Amino acid sequence: MKLSLSNPGLDDRILSHQQLDKLEEDEAGDRPKWDNKAQYMLSCVGFCVGLGNVWRFPYLCQSHGGGAFMIPFLILLVLEGIPLLHLEFAIGQRLRAGSMGVWSAIHPYLAGIGIASMCISLTVSLYYNTIIAWIMWYFFNSFQDPLPWSQCPMDASLTGFVSECERSSPVDYFWYRKTLNTTPAIEEDGGLQWWILLCHICAWSVLYICTIRGIETTGKAVYVTSTLPYVVLTIFLIRGLTLKGSLSGIKFLFTPDLTELAKPTTWLDAGAQVFYSFSLAFGGLISFSSYNSVHNNCEQDAVIISIINGLTAVYAATVIYTIIGFRATERFDNCLSGNILALLNAFDMAEGSITDNNYNQVVQHLNETHPEVIQGIDLKTCDLTTFLSEGVEGTGLAFIVFTEAITKMPLSPLWSVLFFIMLFCLGLSSMFGNIEGVLVPVQDLKVFPKTLPKEAITGVICALCCLVGLIFVLGSGNYWLSLFDTYGASIALLVVAFCEMISVVYIYGIDRFNNDIKFMIGHRPNFFWQASWRVISPLIMFFILVFYLVTKVSEKLLYKAWDPESEKFPTLEEKLYPDWIYVIIFILAGIPSLAIPFLAIWKCLQKKRRNKTNLEKQTLSAFVRCWTNSFHQNSFIAPKS
Amino acid sequence: MLDKILFLLCLASALADERCMPDTPHGFQVRLSIKTALGDEAYVWNENEMFLFRASLAFAMRNHMNGQQFEVSNIIVCNETMRVSFWFIVTSPLDTSQLIDQENVEAAIRQSRNRINSAFLLTDKTLEFVDILPTLATLYTHPTPPWLIVFGVVMGAVSAGIIIMLVSSVVQKKRKTNRKPQDEDDDEETRVKTVENGDAHDGIHNMSFSEDERFTKM
């Protein structure tokens, strides 16, 4: 059942195997190369392992039945992640071009896939670097003791703490007021926040210096940015395990709840997490592998990187939950001692008469004897599981929960510095891949004149992105960022990945692809790869895409706002997006997805028009030749042959 | 056992003065949390400790109201409980029937709070004067925010790096273009040579020096 669409002219657009070998021997060609295999592997690992491994996976794991979540995650990693990764590596290495070049080479009508990848990479680059700017802000603020988010500041009259801080918490206040200075709604922009603007410019400058000469500089930078996070995670693991309550955190994370496996949302979330965590369909991985030598073993690379990515996610989740367990235990202890103190004060009992062990019995006894006093005290319910399951993800985890936990550890500035360096490295190494996914198509599209050096092109792109990214530096920047994150990179990526698979398997041809892989690594891909490329992975992608569309379209467009005036403060208030946001969402999600069919149709029409004009030109030139021949025959001038 | 004796003794002493009672408008309630503050090194609350407390309070009153010689006997304590909490009132040294009003007592305690705390190795939280709020600790405000300093260092290093990279690539390119005119001169000379060898026959190749094969190989 080898379905393959006819693709004439493919051989003219791509290098043949002999030509590739010759290119390899002569070391000709102006394509940049990796200095060694380690740089390539570290760049790919850095691109795949990003902030999502640290702050999305632990939350998913904990909210979908702990250890049981590993099962759908690992299954989908093997069936969806590894095949797609191998496909991107192999096609990049074979066709030796970035995403634009690869898809245009396979078929001119598929140029839309390259354009879509470029648009998605551009969208993600814009907001991802703002997160790095926030990380840098926290990093800069970590060089003081006590940390600025450990205490509330005093209000203007110096009689008490700032009311917004009192009602919420010092970490919330520092994040929402001192960092973001967030407005209550997305319509109010609040102006540029100068301190974040400085960090924003700093983040783009650091990115520029690391990507200034393409992989020549990023190849050196990844030695640090890809390895440092593992070192810091290990340090945190050791520190975390010595804290009280860490083991209860780990236990909570991994306790399996097998009933979650029956829910489809668990599988959907696992599939989406595997897909996004691999940074597929951005075009960056295709670029990276195109700088390899032709006979590099891309199959082995794909498997190794997938395993590293999966293991890193589990490792990071463990480390995060040791610290969360510590924080939850700390909160629980404080809650309990607060209650005990209240009871001691109310009944004038000696200290030590109520302990953690006999607390419940004592409360019960006192409730029977003096119920009205107990009512008057207003005891809080202290439940460790509730504190542990205050599962937070994303920026909330890093900037609120974790920073609070750090303030409770001795030597807090040190842990804060280490933590934010780790986040910075994780984010920066992902940005290298994103920028690669923007730069290479821009160069392929020949937007800039060839005389312009690479440094200048990179500089222009970084400067433009920095300017457009100013939208995230506004007071409402946080809301814009979550809008871009939710709609910019989700649906379009799924569409592009699905089209990539279909293009390689059915338009490029699975037979040709198998032969290419045999030429590159020495043996044909085995049955597992065939089955997954042809049937399993496209089906999984299709299901995830359909489910995603259905859930996104049916849900109301809400966002969570920090509004000190709201009744439920400090809980975030859910507000409706204004109507003009729909236009923005359409631009973010629709344009990349629609670029694929739109460009295919446009190229088709262009070809038809060219054929028509060619036909006209041919008839015209034949006529002219005929006429000049007859003219010359009559005038004795030797015809030019 | 000891606690019960303590309790009775206190009760006895308290009965001596009826003005000292819970919720008195002239005094304050005090709560000590010795075990919470000191853990294993906690001392036992006994009569001597109470004497120290009354003495330190008298000291505080003397400090605040200059001139008046408060004695330990001017501090009257009552309603001591096992919690280690009790009420106290302060009588004037000149006339024991007169009580010092709450504002003065509060001001005196605020003034010498640190001294009273350290006499008992406790803090504002563990030696609690109910209804006297402790002064809030202010965050130390730095003259230059430290984050600006770190930002300056990082930004300076990055800018220096960018300038160095750009300058080095410009220098490299200049070196390449300097070499190129040299190569072009060499090319021109060889071309001139071939033309000279060709003599006056324009457009006729000198077969021995040309590279392209007009005839197929045998």
Side-chain angles (χ1 to χ4, degrees), chain A residues 136-137 140-141 143-144 146 151-154 159-161 194-195 198 201-202 205-206 208-209 212-213 217 341 344-345 348-351 453 455, chain B residues 29 31-37 81-83 85 128 136-139 142 146-148 150-151 154-155 157-158 161-162 165-166 168-169 172-173:
Chain A
M136 291 188 99
W137 163 255
F140 295 152
N141 272 293
F143 286 92
Q144 46 186 300
Q151 283 171 261
C152 275
M154 300 285 275
T159 50
F161 296 127
W194 66 271
W195 55 94
L198 289 179
I201 295 175
C202 190
S205 310
V206 171
Y208 178 52
I209 194 180
I212 196 166
R213 286 198 200 137
T217 39
L341 191 68
L344 288 178
N345 287 348
D348 279 325
M349 296 154 73
E351 276 183 289
E455 289 91 344
Chain B
Q29 188 182 16
R31 265 197 219 120
L32 289 99
S33 312
I34 309 171
K35 288 219 185 89
T36 317
T81 66
M82 301 226 280
R83 170 72 180 79
S85 73
E128 195 187 343
L136 300 162
T138 48
L139 269 176
H142 306 259
W147 76 266
L148 212 51
V150 185
F151 165 76
V154 170
M155 200 62 199
V158 169
I162 291 178
M165 297 285 257
L166 289 175
S168 72
S169 33
Q172 262 180 14
K173 209 173 245 172

Side-chain angles (χ1 to χ4, degrees), chain A residues 492-565:
Chain A
L493 274 176
L494 291 166
V495 171
V496 170
F498 182 69
C499 291
E500 281 189 5
M501 291 208 105
I502 300 293
S503 310
V504 169
V505 171
Y506 298 113
I507 300 183
Y508 186 72
I510 190 75
D511 287 327
R512 184 186 281 271
F513 194 55
N514 287 336
N515 286 336
D516 285 337
I517 294 183
K518 179 160 183 203
F519 163 70
M520 289 197 289
I521 64 178
H523 59 266
R524 282 176 74 85
N526 60 31
F527 175 72
F528 164 71
W529 301 113
Q530 306 293 330
S532 51
W533 284 331
R534 276 198 243 162
V535 180
I536 304 178
S537 299
L539 264 180
I540 296 178
M541 297 302 312
F542 183 69
F543 273 125
I544 296 179
L545 179 62
V546 166
F547 269 117
Y548 229 84
L549 275 173
V550 167
T551 45
K552 282 281 182 251
V553 164
S554 57
E555 76 186 12
K556 270 209 297 227
L557 288 177
L558 294 168
Y559 69 102
K560 293 212 176 112
W562 176 263
D563 190 356
E565 322 273 311

Side-chain angles (χ1 to χ4, degrees), chain A residues 23 76 106 137 144 169 193 196 200 230 314 328 410 484 549 576 579 618 636:
Chain A
L23 208 66
L76 287 169
I106 293 183
W137 163 255
Q144 46 186 300
S169 74
Q193 313 303 322
I196 296 296
H200 181 82
Y230 290 97
V314 177
F484 269 61
L549 275 173
L576 276 172
D579 289 329
Q618 275 174 2
F636 295 99

